[in-house]
Amino acid sequence: MCSSSRRYQDILAPRKTECSNFMWASRQLNPQVAFKQAKKPSPQYHKDEVVKCPKIQELLITLSEKEQVTKEVLEGRVRNILDEIGYNKKLKVVRWLAVVLTKICNRICSGIYLNEDAILQLKSQMGTCPVIFVPSHRSYADFILMSFMCFTEDVAIPAIAAGMDFHGMWGMGTVLRDTGAFFMRRSYNDDHLYWTTFKQYVYQLVTKGDLPLEFFIEGTRSRTNKSLTPKYGLILMILRAFFLSQVPDVLFVPINISYDRILEEKLFAFELLGIPKPKESTSGFFKSLSIVKEKFGSIYFDVAEPISAKKFFGPDLDRTLHNLQPIHMQEITDYEKKLIPSLAHEIVYKQQKHCIITTFNLLAIVLHNNLTSGRNLLSVDEIIDEILGLKKVIEKFGAYVFMDDPRKCVLEALEVHNNFVRVNEEGKVTLVWDEIVVGKVNVSKLKAHELSEKTITFSVPFMLLQIYINPTLHYFVDLAVLVLIVKHQRAQSQDELFANYHFLRSLLSQEFVTFNTREKMEFTSALAHAVDLNLLSRNQELYDLGENKQLEEIIYNCIDCFIFTYFVVCSVILELSRVIEEKTILAKVQEEIEIKINEGKGFIHPYSLSLDTITNCLNALAGQNVLTKSRKSGSVTYEINDTKVLFIKNRLEQYVTPAQVLQEKFESVQLHLKNKL
Amino acid sequence: MEARKPVLNQKNEAVIRVKSAVPKNRQDLLKWNGWGYRDSKFIFDSAANEVRFTGQRYPIGDLRLPHLMGWVKENFDVDFSKPKKAQEVPPEEKFPKPQISPENLARITNLDISYSLKGLDRLIRAHGQTLHDIYTLRTSFFERIPDIVVWPTCHSDVVKLVRLADESDMVVIPFGGGTAVSGAVECPTGESRTIISLDTSQMNRILWIDRENLVACCESGIIGQDLERELRKLGFTSGHEPDSYEFSSLGGWVATRASGMKKNLYGNIEDLLVHVKMVTPKGVLEKNCQVPRLSCGPDFNHVIMGSEGSLGVITEVVIKVRPLPKCHRFGSIVFPDFEAGLACMREVARQRCQPSSIRLMDNGQFKFGMILKPESSYLGLILDGLKKFYVTKIKGFNVDTMCVMTLLFEGEEADVKAQEKKIYSIGLQFGGMPAGQTNGERGYMLTFVIAYIRDLALEYEIVAESFETSVPWDRALVLCKNVKEVIAQECRSQGIKYYMINCRVTQTYDAGCVIYFYLGFNHRDVENPVTVHEILETKARDEIIACGGSISHHHGVGKLRRRWYAGTVSQVGVDLYLATKKELDPKNIFATNNLIKAKL
């Protein structure tokens, strides 16, 4: 995608200039629907149809014989389930919410940017088949902002698949439901009647609904601000209708929502360390409204081109398999299930490619590099220079950097993030450590190891910083892996390089979401870029490090801490028993890393403590059958194959930064810390 | 093998020698490059700036059609000032020379069977009525046409011809009424052997009528309108009325597994057929009795039906006849939308109370029917206005969603009345409103006229074609929607701005129904309209099959739908068919390449 062709309009701007938002919010609506139906379906109609459908009816007959209850009782149960699930649509609520939201946004946001051309194009394609909005999920605000965007753009507000945690919020659950949310139980359970009803409800919305659907393919908010591995459950439920030819096609619209500053950033930083989030409660929500005093910069929507399921699967999909037997008895075949991951990953890939890189993302990289590489801290002017250099590099990879006037943007970014990045008395940009208040931590709710307050206070600013570096990493990761390999080994041929790349990249496949079919392509492209940027140089058949030491350092520093955590995970599990609970591993790894941090022997990046990284590592190992993952009554356990883990650990060890380098880094960070304190 | 002597009926009636409406020299009456009679066609009268239908053969003949132009302009953006005239009949020297050796020609001459080597005779038997066929006739030439046309006059002529062809390794392609829309009579392009077009049209006698058992034995070349006319004279009807019945032949019906509009009352060809003879290189395949049904292993009638000229020549058919019904009445019901109409159709089928014919046109076809309304009198206009006011304003129907069901009732007066009552009351349950006999009658009349419109369309850069399928009830609605959407998508991606896709339900069964689609588009913006149309139709058929529909309900497979044959019948089915083919026609003289490409 050509970055220069992207254009964004601030959809909040008209709201800021009009004297009252009421006229706008109460205007006559003529929203574009996704799949025009002969008669406009009501929320109640969908529920009734689900109860009446042969699949549910036949299940009720079987259950009533099995459980010796009348069918009417069971039907009542289904209706209760449907009342818990089903969306509602109250235009009045939507309009009021629009007014309130506008007020809030006007106060805390400088703009909500959207590539409006894409929406116009999309609207012209809507009307003839189900349309599924698949936004990235970085914040609770995604829900409401998506609906706000649709309301502004005259697109029918989607029916949104939401987790039950919202349902529990008094008042908010109802408001969300009234604006189109439907609820899905998250906890792992095997209530057959519930899931059959839920699946049928989704099927009903897809085949007979006229609204777009919206769901978060990552399953949950990403705490790290980088993509999560897609989940396949809901997308499969949606595609069922297409596999059974009950709809002409399904259009998936990947959407990236990027934030200058994520509302929940602090919460996430704590969560990544294992200090749990409070349960969603309405009072919590209102507390979060106290953010109204702060500034959050801009929010960016990038709507990608829709992916047609029909075109995507092409002739690989033989829908005639479902021609015999009634539709409601059809089961999705294993082959069809196998087709899902490629589509799900394509959607996530498109979300990534459509992300917006903000000034602060680049600033974070530069600052992080200065802090951890023993460089001098930079003044605003100096940092602008470095940011512009980095901007050029990242744009080469197709990234879009939202920046017009660099100075203005940097100053704005500093203002928005002045909770943890500031200009100190000497006029240098640096991290703020002394404002982190840990508060009371309920030890029983900790997810892993009980970190000391000192560690937490030291770590949180780094965690926050990393959260803003992370969105850029999918542009750099392939390059970084190549640099890492050559730096720690020696000059090598393309084949050797690929073998090593394959090892590291598959290990990091959960960390930086990728799908194996693209591996070779991405390797080739990264290698070309590396040579082009003079990160690597090619001497006859061998690739060696190039001259661009500055970029090498930046890129290397980007993934260093991940490799370290992966190495520690492998070392730790080798010392544990063969079958072990996930929680134990998490705690043990964190404990190990905390010790290393406090040993004072070298700089250990606090992001290495991230539970997300540890879990990603475990999942990647499980994906390679190094560990065997099993889930029993809610808790996850791993069975460990020692030989395989040892092999990986040894191979990883060559890529871990040597102690001497760590020592140098340690001193530099200490210096910065002291300066600040 | 000696043909068995036809048994004369009780009254010792003589064989009926039918004087066909269509002469042996077809081109004298019929268009050489279009549909139907030469004197019947839609024309654009530039002086009056209007479209008319010429001739007196059909009820809309020579009436002004004032609504048509505007509709065509709006829907197809047609520029009436620039007609694309078709090419003239090629002069004799332009035709490829017949590839036939003097010895073989002598052998055929010796059989004492009428034949022709003339270019035009051969050309008009080289094709059916697909868009590809007609477009080729108007603009270019077929790659391969038959080398000789023969006109056998009886079963034994055919036996002799087939024997000769088998001995001298010549190809035989049977030709009936020339209305195939599957590419079935087209010559296989790579065929180097002499191709004989075996025209059955002169083999059209009604050999006998058995009044006690209500069956008639006819030669296969008899065409629908001749058969009906002759039977009616005697107070009977076959009841078999495919849309092409004016021109299509009995043998063709059997060879493609045809279906008629009134199948609810009389049955499809497989229900009508009591006995059939097929001449193959191995001899004549037939049964020794004329019984209503028998339990005797796989029924070889079903090897003959649907064989599409690939296994032999159908020569004589015994079919059921029925006494002519006393009462014959049309009817119609309008529905607020297609969904409601379809639900009503399903209910009628559930109760098995279908009248002779019941059809449901979607909104597109409903509107199309309206624009073909001739100019009515002043009073008629007011009446139409009032009706429209009533339907749209009082009953609240939306002109852009409503659709119409057309009905044909046949039988005793009392039976018809009872049927009408039942149908209209079911209609009411689904929000339908009776819309009178005239609308129903127009619907059926248009069926015959609509075939003519393509020839006019082709002059103005519009290509059009129809295709059909059968589908279980529960999948019918989705199939219609999905196919329309596929066409819309594909037109978009081909850059076609003006197109039409609409459908109707033409038959109902216990377990499903038949959907008939019309597709047309303005091809101004595409390079090769026939290729683009083929792409569209292929996508549509893929979607039909993905939605649980069939390869064809009554048009047959031919060459056009070959690619879906194996998927439909399984590989074992293909092998079984090939084994049959090998047994009956080891030298592949019936090298039609229909169903599958037979390399034996």
Side-chain angles (χ1 to χ4, degrees):
Chain A
M1 177 169 177
C2 177
S3 58
S4 60
S5 68
R6 300 210 215 170
R7 257 186 277 282
Y8 300 87
Q9 279 78 37
D10 181 3
I11 58 171
L12 203 55
R15 302 290 81 76
K16 288 192 166 162
T17 50
E18 65 198 9
C19 48
S20 158
N21 306 131
F22 282 96
M23 289 295 279
W24 164 75
S26 57
R27 74 199 196 274
Q28 167 133 32
L29 294 174
N30 185 21
Q32 174 64 50
V33 297
F35 190 20
K36 206 167 170 357
Q37 303 288 340
K39 288 189 196 76
K40 187 159 181 60
S42 69
Q44 188 55 41
Y45 165 82
H46 288 313
K47 294 184 194 170
D48 294 343
E49 286 297 295
V50 171
V51 177
K52 273 196 283 183
C53 79
K55 191 166 185 112
I56 296 290
Q57 286 295 321
E58 284 175 20
L59 175 67
L60 293 188
I61 291 167
T62 329
L63 277 183
S64 96
E65 276 167 19
K66 212 170 104 189
E67 295 181 9
Q68 293 295 313
V69 238
T70 64
K71 201 167 141 258
E72 286 65 39
V73 171
L74 290 169
E75 207 167 285
R77 251 190 249 170
V78 172
R79 285 198 181 275
N80 285 342
I81 293 173
L82 282 168
D83 286 338
E84 179 195 295
I85 299 171
Y87 80 90
N88 217 336
K89 190 113 278 189
K90 291 198 178 145
L91 205 53
K92 224 184 225 168
V93 179
V94 171
R95 290 186 195 280
W96 274 111
L97 204 61
V99 172
V100 173
L101 216 58
T102 312
K103 295 273 177 249
I104 297 176
C105 288
N106 276 343
R107 191 162 301 169
I108 68 171
C109 298
S110 35
I112 298 178
Y113 289 91
L114 165 72
N115 55 341
E116 254 180 338
D117 295 350
I119 282 284
L120 288 178
Q121 173 67 26
L122 175 67
K123 277 170 82 176
S124 74
Q125 279 172 271
M126 286 170 72
T128 53
C129 74
V131 176
I132 320 292
F133 293 143
V134 199
S136 58
H137 202 10
R138 304 287 171 266
S139 166
Y140 279 143
D142 296 333
F143 276 96
I144 299 190
L145 287 171
M146 269 298 295
S147 300
F148 181 75
M149 186 271 279
C150 290
F151 181 78
T152 310
E153 294 298 312
D154 254 337
V155 172
I157 294 176
I160 310 160
M164 283 299 283
D165 33 2
F166 282 108
H167 183 255
M169 293 164 74
W170 184 87
M172 268 318 276
T174 319
V175 170
L176 286 179
R177 191 191 294 281
D178 287 345
T179 55
F182 63 96
F183 297 92
M184 178 178 176
R185 285 189 197 162
R186 209 184 280 272
S187 58
Y188 190 80
N189 75 56
D190 46 9
D191 181 344
H192 188 49
L193 188 60
Y194 173 81
W195 284 112
T196 312
T197 308
F198 184 82
K199 281 180 190 171
Q200 190 62 34
Y201 184 75
V202 173
Y203 181 79
Q204 168 72 21
L205 295 189
V206 175
T207 53
K208 302 285 165 55
D210 64 339
L211 303 178
L213 255 60
E214 177 184 324
F215 78 105
F216 297 101
I217 199 162
E218 296 163 291
T220 180
R221 288 171 302 161
S222 163
R223 271 65 168 170
T224 59
N225 208 3
K226 58 187 167 59
S227 302
L228 303 178
T229 310
K231 302 282 182 290
Y232 306 139
L234 207 53
I235 190 173
L236 181 62
M237 288 182 215
I238 290 167
L239 278 171
R240 179 185 171 86
F242 175 66
F243 289 153
L244 303 184
S245 294
Q246 297 303 292
V247 291
D249 195 354
V250 178
L251 293 182
F252 291 93
V253 187
I255 296 173
N256 183 289
I257 310 176
S258 302
Y259 294 86
D260 265 346
R261 178 177 165 195
I262 295 172
L263 263 72
E264 302 100 317
E265 54 176 14
K266 206 173 243 172
L267 217 59
F268 288 168
F270 279 98
E271 266 190 57
L272 289 174
L273 292 171
I275 302 152
K277 62 166 180 177
K279 197 175 185 305
E280 259 45 79
S281 70
T282 310
S283 76
F285 175 79
F286 282 112
K287 251 183 233 163
S288 76
L289 284 185
S290 67
I291 53 165
V292 166
K293 280 176 269 161
E294 299 192 41
K295 282 202 183 304
F296 285 83
S298 294
I299 295 155
Y300 311 88
F301 279 91
D302 195 306
V303 178
E305 238 178 76
I307 301 170
S308 142
K310 193 173 195 174
K311 279 201 195 116
F312 185 83
F313 295 128
D316 287 351
L317 180 68
D318 178 10
R319 286 178 289 152
T320 63
L321 291 175
H322 297 290
N323 281 354
L324 289 169
Q325 273 194 358
I327 295 285
H328 74 273
M329 291 184 186
Q330 299 288 336
E331 293 298 336
I332 298 302
T333 64
D334 288 343
Y335 179 76
E336 284 161 340
K337 283 181 194 157
K338 278 192 197 137
L339 289 174
I340 300 287
S342 60
L343 176 59
H345 275 272
E346 177 69 16
I347 293 171
V348 171
Y349 179 77
K350 282 277 147 62
Q351 287 177 350
Q352 288 181 338
K353 293 297 154 200
H354 282 258
C355 84
I356 301 284
I357 299 299
T358 65
T359 309
F360 190 71
N361 292 144
L362 301 182
L363 193 149
I365 297 179
V366 176
L367 175 58
H368 174 260
N369 197 49
N370 291 335
L371 284 172
T372 58
S373 302
R375 306 232 164 256
N376 291 331
L377 290 177
L378 301 176
S379 69
V380 171
D381 287 323
E382 290 163 329
I383 221 164
I384 290 173
D385 280 347
E386 297 233 347
I387 286 173
L388 287 176
L390 206 52
K391 175 172 181 274
K392 267 192 200 136
V393 174
I394 200 166
E395 279 173 348
K396 273 198 182 190
F397 299 105
Y400 182 86
V401 181
F402 199 95
M403 188 196 292
D404 36 23
D405 177 356
R407 169 168 289 275
K408 196 179 115 231
C409 288
V410 168
L411 291 177
E412 265 175 22
L414 287 170
E415 193 188 347
V416 166
H417 294 277
N418 89 336
N419 56 330
F420 75 103
V421 176
R422 279 182 212 156
V423 182
N424 63 15
E425 298 96 26
E426 291 154 35
K428 310 281 183 188
V429 180
T430 186
L431 266 187
V432 178
W433 272 280
D434 44 6
E435 294 202 354
I436 302 301
V437 182
V438 179
K440 245 197 208 143
V441 174
N442 184 345
V443 180
S444 69
K445 284 196 174 162
L446 286 180
K447 279 196 194 148
H449 178 62
E450 189 188 346
L451 300 167
S452 71
E453 187 163 348
K454 185 184 157 211
T455 311
I456 296 174
T457 327
F458 171 65
S459 301
V460 167
F462 274 109
M463 303 305 277
L464 283 167
L465 198 59
Q466 187 71 31
I467 283 177
Y468 291 96
I469 294 174
N470 278 341
T472 65
L473 290 190
H474 64 92
Y475 291 111
F476 289 132
V477 62
D478 296 297
L479 221 53
V481 167
L482 294 180
V483 168
L484 186 74
I485 294 166
V486 181
K487 199 172 163 83
H488 285 286
Q489 296 182 319
R490 58 195 149 70
Q492 49 193 280
S493 72
Q494 186 167 335
D495 289 348
E496 281 174 286
L497 199 53
F498 180 71
N500 290 319
Y501 169 87
H502 172 72
F503 166 72
L504 283 172
R505 196 65 188 87
S506 9
L507 205 56
L508 292 170
S509 65
Q510 307 273 319
E511 198 68 56
F512 306 104
V513 179
T514 186
F515 200 52
N516 49 19
T517 49
R518 256 194 294 271
E519 190 180 64
K520 188 85 203 186
M521 213 173 70
E522 290 187 340
F523 169 75
T524 319
S525 137
L527 194 57
H529 277 301
V531 173
D532 185 41
L533 290 166
N534 207 4
L535 280 169
L536 295 184
S537 66
R538 190 179 159 168
N539 191 356
Q540 285 162 344
E541 291 309 303
L542 299 183
Y543 288 89
D544 205 343
L545 288 178
E547 301 298 315
N548 195 343
K549 293 298 170 195
Q550 196 194 355
L551 186 59
E552 178 189 307
E553 184 183 277
I554 290 178
I555 283 186
Y556 179 86
N557 273 337
C558 282
I559 67 160
D560 189 25
C561 60
F562 295 99
I563 301 291
F564 180 73
T565 307
Y566 277 53
F567 173 69
V568 176
V569 171
C570 289
S571 318
V572 163
I573 51 181
L574 278 173
E575 285 158 22
L576 298 169
S577 55
R578 269 184 54 83
V579 181
I580 187 118
E581 266 195 49
E582 183 175 55
K583 197 175 166 178
T584 317
I585 303 180
L586 297 179
K588 204 74 193 151
V589 172
Q590 274 196 328
E591 189 185 347
E592 197 75 17
I593 293 176
E594 188 182 23
I595 292 172
K596 282 194 177 3
I597 289 177
N598 295 327
E599 253 174 4
K601 282 192 188 156
F603 173 67
I604 305 296
H605 199 298
Y607 193 78
S608 310
L609 290 165
S610 160
L611 294 183
D612 181 71
T613 310
I614 305 171
T615 327
N616 283 334
C617 176
L618 293 174
N619 282 328
L621 293 175
Q624 297 181 13
N625 297 322
V626 175
L627 307 178
T628 316
K629 186 176 182 174
S630 53
R631 195 186 293 266
K632 262 183 229 130
S633 58
S635 82
V636 178
T637 54
Y638 291 97
E639 192 184 328
I640 294 152
N641 181 328
D642 282 356
T643 340
K644 286 184 180 172
V645 176
L646 188 64
F647 175 78
I648 289 186
K649 184 200 145 195
N650 289 339
R651 212 168 160 182
L652 257 181
E653 195 161 13
Q654 0 170 14
Y655 302 113
V656 176
T657 312
Q660 191 207 334
V661 181
L662 289 178
Q663 185 61 42
E664 288 163 17
K665 281 188 170 195
F666 179 70
E667 281 153 18
S668 111
V669 177
Q670 287 303 314
L671 199 70
H672 290 313
L673 264 171
K674 254 182 237 145
N675 280 350
K676 179 61 216 161
L677 296 168
Chain B
M1 191 189 294
E2 187 59 30
R4 288 191 309 130
K5 246 183 142 186
V7 186
L8 290 186
N9 64 11
Q10 306 95 310
K11 288 188 180 174
N12 256 346
E13 276 171 336
V15 163
I16 303 171
R17 295 187 177 278
V18 178
K19 182 172 178 334
S20 177
V22 176
K24 184 175 175 186
N25 206 28
R26 298 167 63 83
Q27 54 271 41
D28 292 346
L29 182 77
L30 305 181
K31 294 191 189 81
W32 74 276
N33 65 351
W35 178 263
Y37 302 107
R38 290 171 60 168
D39 58 12
S40 304
K41 59 187 170 208
F42 284 95
I43 55 158
F44 171 62
D45 181 345
S46 55
N49 202 27
E50 255 175 17
V51 174
R52 274 189 301 124
F53 190 80
T54 63
Q56 292 299 330
R57 291 178 193 272
Y58 301 94
I60 64 164
D62 268 344
L63 293 173
R64 297 175 56 225
L65 301 169
H67 313 294
L68 186 65
M69 285 265 300
W71 183 86
V72 172
K73 274 188 182 154
E74 188 188 319
N75 286 276
F76 286 106
D77 192 35
V78 162
D79 182 356
F80 277 95
S81 65
K82 290 180 197 152
K84 274 175 102 178
K85 288 291 172 210
Q87 62 181 343
E88 296 296 317
V89 182
E92 187 60 32
E93 66 271 14
K94 281 276 176 74
F95 288 96
K97 294 271 162 301
Q99 299 173 27
I100 182 166
S101 66
E103 302 80 43
N104 279 344
L105 187 59
R107 284 186 192 124
I108 290 176
T109 316
N110 284 341
L111 293 179
D112 198 24
I113 292 169
S114 166
Y115 72 86
S116 166
L117 297 168
K118 268 195 272 174
L120 187 58
D121 286 337
R122 294 187 285 125
L123 175 63
I124 62 178
R125 287 167 184 82
H127 66 85
Q129 290 287 337
T130 62
L131 173 67
H132 171 261
D133 294 337
I134 302 304
Y135 197 83
T136 307
L137 286 170
R138 293 175 63 96
T139 60
S140 58
F141 207 82
F142 293 103
E143 255 182 77
R144 185 77 166 91
I145 66 170
D147 299 301
I148 180 169
V149 178
V150 298
W151 284 275
T153 57
C154 61
H155 172 80
S156 58
D157 278 358
V158 175
V159 171
K160 282 187 266 178
L161 271 166
V162 170
R163 191 181 299 142
L164 172 66
D166 196 45
E167 283 163 4
S168 340
D169 206 19
M170 290 186 281
V171 169
V172 177
I173 297 186
F175 182 87
T179 57
V181 280
S182 61
V185 297
E186 274 167 40
C187 298
T189 45
E191 186 56 66
S192 55
R193 295 176 287 179
T194 298
I195 298 181
I196 303 170
S197 173
L198 190 155
D199 184 328
T200 59
S201 65
Q202 303 312 301
M203 197 161 69
N204 69 336
R205 294 169 300 175
I206 298 174
L207 295 175
W208 45 262
I209 291 179
D210 178 346
R211 287 166 199 271
E212 180 53 30
N213 293 310
L214 284 176
V215 293
C217 179
C218 309
E219 288 179 312
S220 63
I222 192 164
I223 59 173
Q225 61 168 313
D226 292 344
L227 176 65
E228 269 316 289
R229 188 185 60 241
E230 297 302 323
L231 287 176
R232 268 158 206 263
K233 283 184 199 161
L234 302 170
F236 295 108
T237 177
S238 74
H240 188 68
E241 269 185 43
D243 292 356
S244 63
Y245 98 109
E246 295 164 283
F247 310 107
S248 56
S249 70
L250 175 57
W253 300 339
V254 175
T256 51
R257 294 183 67 88
S259 169
M261 174 182 109
K262 301 179 187 170
K263 76 95 199 155
N264 293 335
L265 197 57
Y266 301 98
N268 285 320
I269 197 71
E270 67 272 20
D271 310 306
L272 292 167
L273 184 143
V274 175
H275 183 271
V276 58
K277 278 186 193 174
M278 180 169 76
V279 178
T280 76
K282 282 289 183 75
V284 178
L285 179 62
E286 63 173 325
K287 287 178 188 147
N288 73 347
C289 51
Q290 174 205 310
V291 293
R293 182 179 189 274
L294 74 172
S295 173
C296 174
D299 187 348
F300 295 130
N301 283 354
H302 287 274
V303 172
I304 298 171
M305 281 187 282
S307 60
E308 303 192 351
S310 301
L311 300 177
V313 185
I314 294 153
T315 53
E316 289 173 13
V317 186
V318 177
I319 55 162
K320 297 179 193 169
V321 295
R322 297 289 305 163
L324 264 178
K326 291 212 180 71
C327 179
H328 185 90
R329 202 142 64 221
F330 290 101
S332 66
I333 306 178
V334 286
F335 289 93
D337 53 44
F338 189 68
E339 282 82 350
L342 190 65
C344 177
M345 293 283 260
R346 207 281 162 263
E347 187 54 33
V348 169
R350 200 193 309 273
Q351 297 190 24
R352 283 201 178 163
C353 60
Q354 293 100 326
S356 186
S357 169
I358 175 167
R359 284 179 172 178
L360 179 73
M361 303 189 190
D362 74 354
N363 182 259
Q365 293 214 352
F366 166 72
K367 283 184 174 162
F368 186 61
M370 290 292 128
I371 60 109
L372 282 181
K373 263 195 172 174
E375 184 187 42
S376 37
S377 64
Y378 185 63
L379 196 66
L381 277 173
I382 293 174
L383 213 64
D384 274 357
L386 278 179
K387 269 191 237 155
K388 190 176 166 189
F389 181 78
Y390 178 70
V391 171
T392 60
K393 294 291 184 286
I394 306 208
K395 296 295 280 188
F397 282 24
N398 180 347
V399 187
D400 292 320
T401 60
M402 61 192 280
C403 70
V404 62
M405 176 186 280
T406 59
L407 301 155
L408 171 60
F409 302 92
E410 283 185 344
E412 296 290 327
E413 177 68 35
D415 296 339
V416 165
K417 273 204 172 127
Q419 268 190 332
E420 282 177 324
K421 203 176 151 202
K422 183 142 199 187
I423 298 292
Y424 289 128
S425 83
I426 296 177
L428 210 61
Q429 286 170 33
F430 293 89
M433 189 180 87
Q437 292 193 30
T438 335
N439 276 322
E441 188 169 6
R442 282 175 44 75
Y444 289 101
M445 182 268 294
L446 287 179
T447 304
F448 298 107
V449 175
I450 217 160
Y452 284 93
I453 209 155
R454 181 168 73 192
D455 294 325
L456 178 74
L458 283 169
E459 273 183 38
Y460 296 99
E461 298 192 300
I462 299 168
V463 291
E465 183 70 295
S466 59
F467 48 92
E468 42 74 35
T469 189
S470 48
V471 60
W473 282 112
D474 64 331
R475 299 176 190 241
L477 184 62
V478 160
L479 185 142
C480 294
K481 281 187 182 177
N482 285 13
V483 169
K484 286 179 183 179
E485 177 55 18
V486 159
I487 293 292
Q489 260 180 23
E490 201 51 36
C491 281
R492 266 200 300 272
S493 73
Q494 296 280 351
I496 297 166
K497 290 191 206 80
Y498 295 92
Y499 66 91
M500 169 193 91
I501 174 79
N502 53 44
C503 71
R504 63 176 184 230
V505 182
T506 58
Q507 293 291 7
T508 60
Y509 292 89
D510 288 349
C513 61
V514 177
I515 320 264
Y516 208 99
F517 291 94
Y518 283 100
L519 164 65
F521 61 89
N522 185 323
H523 64 76
R524 195 171 44 208
D525 299 323
V526 300
E527 192 134 321
N528 189 336
V530 174
T531 316
V532 170
H533 174 267
E534 268 168 23
I535 295 172
L536 291 178
E537 199 180 322
T538 302
K539 293 259 179 189
R541 181 65 60 185
D542 281 339
E543 187 65 29
I544 285 173
I545 290 177
C547 292
S550 65
I551 184 169
S552 171
H553 169 260
H554 60 272
H555 281 174
V557 176
K559 299 176 188 61
L560 214 58
R561 283 171 280 277
R562 229 165 21 194
R563 73 166 83 191
W564 296 281
Y565 181 71
T568 304
V569 303
S570 81
Q571 189 52 46
V572 175
V574 169
D575 294 343
L576 179 57
Y577 170 77
L578 283 176
T580 311
K581 166 89 178 157
K582 202 165 185 174
E583 170 57 30
L584 296 180
D585 180 22
K587 287 187 183 166
N588 191 23
I589 66 162
F590 293 103
T592 59
N593 276 344
N594 293 337
L595 302 173
I596 36 180
K597 254 191 178 158
K599 278 267 184 301
L600 292 175

